[in-house]
PDB file of all heavy atoms in Angstrom:
ATOM      1  N   ILE V 224       5.525  29.242 -19.445  1.00  0.00           N
ATOM      2  CA  ILE V 224       6.788  29.346 -18.732  1.00  0.00           C
ATOM      3  C   ILE V 224       7.863  29.604 -19.755  1.00  0.00           C
ATOM      4  O   ILE V 224       8.138  28.803 -20.637  1.00  0.00           O
ATOM      5  CB  ILE V 224       7.042  28.102 -17.875  1.00  0.00           C
ATOM      6  CG1 ILE V 224       5.949  27.907 -16.840  1.00  0.00           C
ATOM      7  CG2 ILE V 224       8.406  28.157 -17.179  1.00  0.00           C
ATOM      8  CD1 ILE V 224       5.959  26.628 -16.100  1.00  0.00           C
ATOM      9  N   ASP V 225       8.647  30.742 -19.589  1.00  0.00           N
ATOM     10  CA  ASP V 225       9.711  31.008 -20.486  1.00  0.00           C
ATOM     11  C   ASP V 225      11.010  31.073 -19.705  1.00  0.00           C
ATOM     12  O   ASP V 225      11.011  31.538 -18.549  1.00  0.00           O
ATOM     13  CB  ASP V 225       9.577  32.416 -21.107  1.00  0.00           C
ATOM     14  CG  ASP V 225       8.243  32.508 -21.920  1.00  0.00           C
ATOM     15  OD1 ASP V 225       8.043  31.698 -22.776  1.00  0.00           O
ATOM     16  OD2 ASP V 225       7.422  33.435 -21.610  1.00  0.00           O
ATOM     17  N   THR V 226      12.064  30.567 -20.310  1.00  0.00           N
ATOM     18  CA  THR V 226      13.391  30.671 -19.631  1.00  0.00           C
ATOM     19  C   THR V 226      14.284  31.587 -20.523  1.00  0.00           C
ATOM     20  O   THR V 226      14.103  31.617 -21.753  1.00  0.00           O
ATOM     21  CB  THR V 226      14.080  29.303 -19.514  1.00  0.00           C
ATOM     22  OG1 THR V 226      14.156  28.665 -20.797  1.00  0.00           O
ATOM     23  CG2 THR V 226      13.278  28.373 -18.571  1.00  0.00           C
ATOM     24  N   TYR V 227      15.182  32.306 -19.830  1.00  0.00           N
ATOM     25  CA  TYR V 227      16.010  33.232 -20.580  1.00  0.00           C
ATOM     26  C   TYR V 227      17.300  33.429 -19.785  1.00  0.00           C
ATOM     27  O   TYR V 227      17.386  32.975 -18.600  1.00  0.00           O
ATOM     28  CB  TYR V 227      15.275  34.573 -20.859  1.00  0.00           C
ATOM     29  CG  TYR V 227      14.830  35.325 -19.593  1.00  0.00           C
ATOM     30  CD1 TYR V 227      15.544  36.342 -19.040  1.00  0.00           C
ATOM     31  CD2 TYR V 227      13.633  34.926 -18.924  1.00  0.00           C
ATOM     32  CE1 TYR V 227      15.185  37.000 -17.922  1.00  0.00           C
ATOM     33  CE2 TYR V 227      13.211  35.582 -17.809  1.00  0.00           C
ATOM     34  CZ  TYR V 227      13.962  36.619 -17.322  1.00  0.00           C
ATOM     35  OH  TYR V 227      13.563  37.276 -16.152  1.00  0.00           O
ATOM     36  N   ARG V 228      18.258  34.165 -20.379  1.00  0.00           N
ATOM     37  CA  ARG V 228      19.530  34.314 -19.660  1.00  0.00           C
ATOM     38  C   ARG V 228      19.389  35.550 -18.761  1.00  0.00           C
ATOM     39  O   ARG V 228      18.833  36.597 -19.147  1.00  0.00           O
ATOM     40  CB  ARG V 228      20.611  34.560 -20.701  1.00  0.00           C
ATOM     41  CG  ARG V 228      20.911  33.289 -21.385  1.00  0.00           C
ATOM     42  CD  ARG V 228      22.128  33.391 -22.291  1.00  0.00           C
ATOM     43  NE  ARG V 228      22.314  32.116 -22.979  1.00  0.00           N
ATOM     44  CZ  ARG V 228      23.293  31.833 -23.867  1.00  0.00           C
ATOM     45  NH1 ARG V 228      24.193  32.794 -24.128  1.00  0.00           N
ATOM     46  NH2 ARG V 228      23.352  30.688 -24.420  1.00  0.00           N
ATOM     47  N   ASP V 241      20.397  29.503 -19.481  1.00  0.00           N
ATOM     48  CA  ASP V 241      19.072  30.068 -19.411  1.00  0.00           C
ATOM     49  C   ASP V 241      18.443  29.718 -18.074  1.00  0.00           C
ATOM     50  O   ASP V 241      17.531  28.927 -17.987  1.00  0.00           O
ATOM     51  CB  ASP V 241      18.181  29.466 -20.546  1.00  0.00           C
ATOM     52  CG  ASP V 241      18.668  29.957 -21.920  1.00  0.00           C
ATOM     53  OD1 ASP V 241      19.420  30.963 -21.951  1.00  0.00           O
ATOM     54  OD2 ASP V 241      18.225  29.433 -22.922  1.00  0.00           O
ATOM     55  N   ALA V 243      17.194  32.028 -15.802  1.00  0.00           N
ATOM     56  CA  ALA V 243      16.055  32.943 -15.337  1.00  0.00           C
ATOM     57  C   ALA V 243      14.788  32.374 -15.893  1.00  0.00           C
ATOM     58  O   ALA V 243      14.669  31.792 -16.942  1.00  0.00           O
ATOM     59  CB  ALA V 243      16.318  34.320 -15.861  1.00  0.00           C
ATOM     60  N   VAL V 244      13.680  32.590 -15.062  1.00  0.00           N
ATOM     61  CA  VAL V 244      12.376  32.067 -15.430  1.00  0.00           C
ATOM     62  C   VAL V 244      11.338  33.151 -15.342  1.00  0.00           C
ATOM     63  O   VAL V 244      11.276  34.013 -14.458  1.00  0.00           O
ATOM     64  CB  VAL V 244      11.982  30.949 -14.363  1.00  0.00           C
ATOM     65  CG1 VAL V 244      10.584  30.480 -14.618  1.00  0.00           C
ATOM     66  CG2 VAL V 244      12.976  29.751 -14.468  1.00  0.00           C
ATOM     67  N   GLN V 263      17.850  26.944 -12.499  1.00  0.00           N
ATOM     68  CA  GLN V 263      16.549  27.164 -13.179  1.00  0.00           C
ATOM     69  C   GLN V 263      15.426  26.596 -12.332  1.00  0.00           C
ATOM     70  O   GLN V 263      14.329  27.175 -12.167  1.00  0.00           O
ATOM     71  CB  GLN V 263      16.542  26.553 -14.564  1.00  0.00           C
ATOM     72  CG  GLN V 263      15.308  26.942 -15.353  1.00  0.00           C
ATOM     73  CD  GLN V 263      15.231  26.157 -16.669  1.00  0.00           C
ATOM     74  OE1 GLN V 263      14.396  25.358 -16.853  1.00  0.00           O
ATOM     75  NE2 GLN V 263      16.189  26.439 -17.586  1.00  0.00           N
TER      76      GLN V 263
END
Side-chain angles (χ1 to χ4, degrees):
I224 301 174
D225 302 304
T226 56
Y227 59 98
R228 291 189 183 180
D241 291 346
V244 174
Q263 187 187 114

